[in-house]
């Protein structure tokens, strides 16, 4: 781990110094032109970038500044989980309007919380003013054999972590101006399934994706990448109490994992290990297409979350 690099005078650099002080040992090497990381010999570097923009991905009245910072970084880390990669560093680019300047360190506390969850560190980034709050997170990880979307084959079993529908139910209530109640934490505080993903690979998972856009929508991506048809039993889709099956299958912002495995995975052992449910919900049934069916019936197209629509 390297120390942060001293910076010259200026308001932007004063803010960076404040952030570095706030993050403490969670951040290293800040202030240089680029981050330098070492990848274990034989591993592949796995990288992803994700943006959270005010008014499109979150609303200020729905979440605290700390929750916004946490959620933005956790969503990016979930992309590493989808690849079964171990995090080795995070870069944070913050665009902070004047109206948010007083909350900068609270946002930083949320970022730090997500970094702690992932047991990684902040290794650089960028800070700028702008018209709306935006948090862009680049995550860097390492994996000897990254999990991809393209490894599903006929006969594979389909498993999903957790219970679904909570975040979508929270957004539905918040959009009506109602409190999200028991659903709120699932929306405000998603958990990237980093350790769980590596365990699943060790126990047979051959393809996977995280559920950011919705179970059916993301299974379609998995089916397309693998060139297969996946059949889901909607009666077996795990749901948060009080959520209907349609919302569980089509709601997004889950950040749970769905994987395909050629063999049976011990769901009870998984739950003992992580305190998180693992459910078998379907099979890969055909290699002559790229689609998702529900108990043999084709379902209406579900696009999932669209980043270009409001």
């Amino acid at each position: 781990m390297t120390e942060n690099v001293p910076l010259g005078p200026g308001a932007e650099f004063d803010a960076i110094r404040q952030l570095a002080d706030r993050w403490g040992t969670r951040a290293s090497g800040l202030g240089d032109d680029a981050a330098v990381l070492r990848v274990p010999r034989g591993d592949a570097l796995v990288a992803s970038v994700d943006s959270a923009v005010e008014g499109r991905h979150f609303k200020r009245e729905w979440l605290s500044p700390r929750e916004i910072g946490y959620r933005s970084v956790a969503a990016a880390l979930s992309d590493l989980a989808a690849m079964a990669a171990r995090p080795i560093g995070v870069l944070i680019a913050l665009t902070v309007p004047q109206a948010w300047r007083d909350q900068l360190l609270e946002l930083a506390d949320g970022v730090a919380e997500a970094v702690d969850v992932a047991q990684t560190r902040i290794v650089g980034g960028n800070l700028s003013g702008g018209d709306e709050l935006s948090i862009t997170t680049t995550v860097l990880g390492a994996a000897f054999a990254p999990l991809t979307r393209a490894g599903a084959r006929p006969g594979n079993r389909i498993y999903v972590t957790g219970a679904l529908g909570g975040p979508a139910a929270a957004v539905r209530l918040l959009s009506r101006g109602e409190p999200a109640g028991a659903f709120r934490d699932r929306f405000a505080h998603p958990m990237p399934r980093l350790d769980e993903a590596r365990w699943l690979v060790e126990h047979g998972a051959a393809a996977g994706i995280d559920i950011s856009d919705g179970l059916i929508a993301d299974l379609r991506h998995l089916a397309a990448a693998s060139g297969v048809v996946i059949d889901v039993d909607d009666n077996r889709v795990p749901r948060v109490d009080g959520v209907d099956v349609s919302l569980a299958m089509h709601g997004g912002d889950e950040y749970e994992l769905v994987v395909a495995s050629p063999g049976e995975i011990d769901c009870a052992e998984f739950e003992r290990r992580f305190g998180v449910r693992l459910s078998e919900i379907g099979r890969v049934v055909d290699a002559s297409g790229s689609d998702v069916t529900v108990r043999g019936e084709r379902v209406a197209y579900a696009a999932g979350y669209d980043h270009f629509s409001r």
Side-chain angles (χ1 to χ4, degrees):
M1 182 178 292
T2 59
E3 297 295 329
N4 295 321
V5 178
L7 295 167
E12 174 188 350
F13 305 114
D14 288 343
I16 293 172
R17 278 185 280 269
Q18 283 185 302
L19 290 171
D21 288 344
R22 194 74 160 203
W23 287 330
T25 57
R26 298 182 184 91
S28 64
L30 302 190
D32 220 330
D33 289 305
V36 178
L37 298 171
R38 301 192 185 280
V39 178
R41 182 171 294 182
D43 278 12
L45 177 67
V46 180
S48 182
V49 62
D50 193 80
S51 291
V53 180
E54 183 179 6
R56 182 168 295 274
H57 299 99
F58 61 87
K59 293 187 177 182
R60 188 171 187 171
E61 60 268 26
W62 290 2
L63 298 165
S64 71
R66 181 175 181 133
E67 288 170 337
I68 290 168
Y70 171 86
R71 193 173 179 278
S72 301
V73 177
L77 287 164
S78 184
D79 287 335
L80 291 186
M83 306 290 287
R86 178 178 58 82
I88 57 175
V90 172
L91 296 102
I92 307 292
L94 286 165
T95 300
V96 185
Q98 188 61 41
W100 279 92
R101 284 296 305 273
D102 289 345
Q103 285 80 48
L104 177 60
L105 295 183
E106 292 178 65
L107 290 165
D109 287 343
V111 170
E113 184 182 355
V115 167
D116 283 346
V117 164
Q119 299 178 17
T120 188
R121 57 195 171 106
I122 302 154
V123 295
N126 187 62
L127 183 64
S128 173
D131 295 330
E132 57 189 2
L133 179 66
S134 174
I135 304 173
T136 297
T137 306
T138 300
V139 289
L140 304 170
F144 182 75
L147 188 67
T148 73
R149 302 177 181 183
R153 299 291 181 266
N156 283 186
R157 300 165 184 257
I158 303 296
Y159 294 90
V160 67
T161 64
L164 308 183
V171 170
R172 178 179 288 182
L173 290 167
L174 291 167
S175 298
R176 297 173 184 162
E178 300 174 25
F183 303 126
R184 189 181 186 283
D185 189 60
R186 288 283 291 112
F187 173 67
H189 204 268
M191 294 296 291
R193 303 299 186 190
L194 293 156
D195 293 339
E196 294 90 334
R198 295 194 294 277
W199 186 96
L200 287 166
V201 168
E202 291 169 2
H203 290 78
I209 189 170
D210 71 328
I211 310 172
S212 55
D213 296 336
L215 175 64
I216 296 298
D218 285 313
L219 276 175
R220 288 188 191 277
H221 297 318
L222 190 67
S226 295
V228 297
V229 176
I230 296 171
D231 188 60
V232 174
D233 183 346
D234 54 348
N235 293 318
R236 302 181 71 176
V237 173
R239 293 177 278 155
V240 172
D241 289 344
V243 171
D244 64 55
V245 68
S246 178
L247 201 61
M249 291 201 301
H250 297 286
D253 283 324
E254 295 288 353
Y255 305 109
E256 296 291 350
L257 300 176
V258 59
V259 300
S261 173
E264 184 176 3
I265 298 178
D266 189 333
C267 296
E269 182 184 349
F270 180 90
E271 186 165 355
R272 283 193 298 271
R273 173 69 175 80
F274 298 106
V276 175
R277 189 171 174 182
L278 181 68
S279 305
E280 183 180 345
I281 61 168
R283 293 287 181 102
V284 179
V285 295
D286 195 350
S288 60
S290 57
D291 204 355
V292 177
T293 59
V294 176
R295 286 187 284 162
E297 298 292 329
R298 195 175 190 280
V299 294
Y301 175 67
Y305 181 76
D306 184 349
H307 294 269
F308 288 101
S309 67
R310 286 190 180 270

